[in-house]
């Protein structure tokens, strides 16, 4: 009987070479296809972090969420507007707590009060100086139609005689909740805007 000695295998060298070659050939024949990357985590990350939308949706979202109001409050409805800005109704929730003294930094006019013909040129000038795109909310009966002063020789029977109005909020005065409802309606209107004109793309 052959006894293993230190430094010598009990199998002959030729047998070891044959077994080793067999293992290599098996591995080679089973390794002809590329093993796919373990990348399920990447799919999950993409699903969580990629949002497909349109340019219009993003621009409109930004605009309707940051309406800055020009200071133009000629009469008593203004106090309801001021109340809407206070902590109880908190217009900051809509990104519009900033009132701009400069019309160039404003894109919303809330016409909170009676307008006289004497003041009308100044209101129109403020509107004309506001940045584009811009919107107008007619707040209260006086802003919509002249209200109880409609028959007066000095009162403008509605702001829409001098500037375009987007949303009408009735009441004398409308409560802050009504104004906020009007703001939400305006936001929906802004959300439906198309910002890229086909005519401009053709140029
Ligand atoms: S609608 Fe009424 S509360 Fe508002 S400005 Fe006119 S009178 Fe004043």
């Amino acid at each position: 009987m052959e006894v293993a000695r230190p430094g010598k295998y009990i199998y002959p060298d030729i047998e070891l070479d044959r077994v080793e070659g067999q293992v290599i050939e098996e591995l080679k024949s089973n390794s002809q296809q590329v093993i796919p990357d373990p990348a399920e985590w990447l799919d999950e990350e993409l699903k969580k972090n990629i949002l497909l939308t349109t340019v219009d949706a993003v621009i409109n979202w930004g605009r309707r969420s940051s309406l800055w109001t020009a200071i133009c409050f000629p009469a008593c409805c203004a106090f309801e507007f001021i109340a809407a800005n206070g902590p109880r109704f908190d217009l900051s929730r809509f990104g519009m707590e900033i009132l701009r003294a400069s019309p160039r930094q404003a894109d919303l006019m809330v016409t909170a009060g009676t307008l006289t013909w004497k003041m009308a040129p100044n209101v129109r000038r403020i509107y004309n100086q506001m940045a584009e795109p811009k919107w107008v909310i007619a707040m209260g009966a006086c802003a919509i139609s002249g209200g109880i002063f409609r028959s007066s020789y000095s009162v403008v029977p509605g702001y829409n005689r001098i500037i375009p109005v987007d949303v009408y909020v009735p009441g004398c005065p409308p409560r802050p909740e009504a104004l906020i409802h009007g703001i939400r309606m305006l936001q929906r209107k802004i959300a439906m805007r198309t910002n890229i004109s086909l005519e401009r793309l053709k140029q």
Side-chain angles (χ1 to χ4, degrees), residues 75-78 112-114 139-143 146-149 171-174:
C76 28
C77 271
T114 321
M139 179 182 179
C142 290
I148 55 175
F149 310 111
C172 181

Side-chain angles (χ1 to χ4, degrees), residues 24-182:
I24 290 171
E25 286 303 322
E26 276 178 20
L27 180 63
K28 192 174 169 186
S29 65
N30 292 332
S31 306
Q32 295 306 305
Q33 299 297 325
V34 175
I35 299 172
D37 294 342
E40 294 83 16
W41 65 271
L42 185 57
D43 287 344
E44 283 302 310
E45 286 294 307
L46 291 176
K47 278 182 204 162
K48 284 182 199 163
N49 292 296
I50 290 187
L51 179 67
L52 292 180
T53 183
T54 62
V55 174
D56 271 344
V58 172
I59 292 175
N60 291 342
W61 170 78
R63 283 181 172 152
R64 73 174 190 268
S65 306
S66 60
L67 289 167
W68 289 3
T69 313
I71 296 179
C72 174
F73 313 129
C76 28
C77 271
F79 293 99
E80 297 299 317
F81 180 82
I82 293 166
N85 272 277
R88 183 170 178 193
F89 296 99
D90 193 14
L91 274 185
S92 304
R93 291 175 292 157
F94 306 101
M96 53 182 303
E97 70 270 36
I98 301 177
L99 304 179
R100 301 310 300 175
S102 165
R104 291 180 184 84
Q105 296 166 352
D107 53 5
L108 173 64
M109 178 182 278
V110 178
T111 62
T114 321
L115 181 64
T116 60
W117 284 111
K118 189 171 184 179
M119 289 159 46
N122 295 329
V123 170
R124 178 182 264 178
R125 187 176 305 118
I126 291 172
Y127 176 81
N128 287 340
Q129 290 177 345
M130 285 166 59
E132 291 280 0
K134 53 196 170 189
W135 298 276
V136 175
I137 294 178
M139 179 182 179
C142 290
I144 294 171
S145 65
I148 55 175
F149 310 111
R150 180 180 173 84
S151 55
S152 166
Y153 73 96
S154 60
V155 170
V156 180
Y159 277 74
N160 56 8
R161 303 292 175 107
I162 61 163
I163 55 176
V165 172
D166 295 279
V167 173
Y168 296 85
V169 180
C172 181
R175 282 188 51 84
E177 294 96 327
L179 176 61
I180 290 172
H181 182 67

